[in-house]
Amino acid sequence: MRAVTLEGFATPPVVRDDLPTPAVGAAQVLVRVQASSANPVDNAIAAGMLKEMVDHDFPVTLGRDYAGVVEEAGADAGDFAAGDAVFGFLRHANPAIADGAWAEFVSVPADGPIAPAPAGVDAEVAGAAPLAGITALTAIDALDIGRGDTVLIVGATGGVGTFAVQLAVAAGATVIAPGLPEDDAYLRDLGVSEVLPRDADVAAVARAQHADGVDAVLDLVSYAPGAFDGALKESGRVASPNGAAGAGPGRTDVMALPTRENLDRLAALLADGTLRVPIQASYDLADAPAALAALGGTHTKGKIAIRVA
């Protein structure tokens, strides 16, 4: 089996073609992977940033997201059967960092993280959506975004931000977001009403344009609380997937949970067109290490996809 692996903390990712196909237990599903994507956690694993936090079982296969077709279903695999189109994402540690989706096959428990793929959606699109999409869903839920709200989304051009903008707009909110000049058309196409200069004091500019403050902030770029509090109303809400929400009412640090319920919800939003998945670039599995470099070294608009089959 071909896969992109990390052999140790001091070595770069490599493409191997000698790995065994994963075994399939009675309550498991073997998926022939068609597509995946690059996420920041993949760079974190490859750079050894998590080595003090969680065990690594080398060789570590990289990649979290997947979309593909069921190759084999165990006897107790519930409603999954060979030939079903499915998608999902793998937790980065379960309990050690080991298995990943940048491989020809992945074995997952039938009770998650797996769900029927969104109807009518290309595998490359479905394979780029799960981790970022569910993170965005969780964040917008935590912020309780609704009609009439104004929300500042910082990091709106990235994978999570791209989904979050669309979800907030669909909920009836006005979205403002910082961006570079070349981001303006991209952000407005997603539904952003006001593009703020990214190199300015974003909180101050937002407050100058919204004197009473914004109702909510989704901070996708900070790793410490408070960076954009100056833009908030006194009763404003903050969410962050990076631990930057801070403490107190209305402040929530979020994480994506790859449950069947969350995947089904995401699939429905992709299938009905509520969510689009802009793909900035696509790489073949053999070039996945270059996709990691692009994710870490370029200004991303949307997602970077990995074609596996």
Side-chain angles (χ1 to χ4, degrees), residues 210-226:
H210 299 269
D212 294 333
V214 300
D215 297 286
V217 171
L218 174 53
D219 184 353
L220 300 170
V221 302
S222 303
Y223 290 88

Side-chain angles (χ1 to χ4, degrees), residues 84-112:
D84 289 347
V86 294
F87 82 142
F89 78 86
L90 307 179
R91 293 178 175 87
H92 70 275
N94 192 28
I97 295 176
D99 298 326
W102 289 359
E104 291 180 302
F105 295 95
V106 61
S107 180
V108 297
D111 60 355

Side-chain angles (χ1 to χ4, degrees), residues 130-146:
L131 179 54
I134 290 177
T135 302
L137 278 169
T138 305
I140 296 301
D141 285 349
L143 291 172
D144 193 24
I145 297 299

Side-chain angles (χ1 to χ4, degrees), residues 30-114:
L30 182 68
V31 177
R32 180 183 292 274
V33 180
Q34 296 175 320
S36 183
S37 78
N39 289 292
V41 68
D42 301 311
N43 263 330
I45 292 170
M49 295 171 61
L50 305 182
K51 63 182 178 181
E52 304 299 331
M53 305 176 194
V54 63
D55 291 336
H56 291 59
D57 185 6
F58 294 109
V60 167
T61 301
L62 297 175
R64 302 297 99 204
D65 295 320
Y66 68 87
V69 176
V70 174
E71 182 82 0
E72 179 182 349
D76 300 323
D79 57 350
F80 293 105
D84 289 347
V86 294
F87 82 142
F89 78 86
L90 307 179
R91 293 178 175 87
H92 70 275
N94 192 28
I97 295 176
D99 298 326
W102 289 359
E104 291 180 302
F105 295 95
V106 61
S107 180
V108 297
D111 60 355
I114 187 171

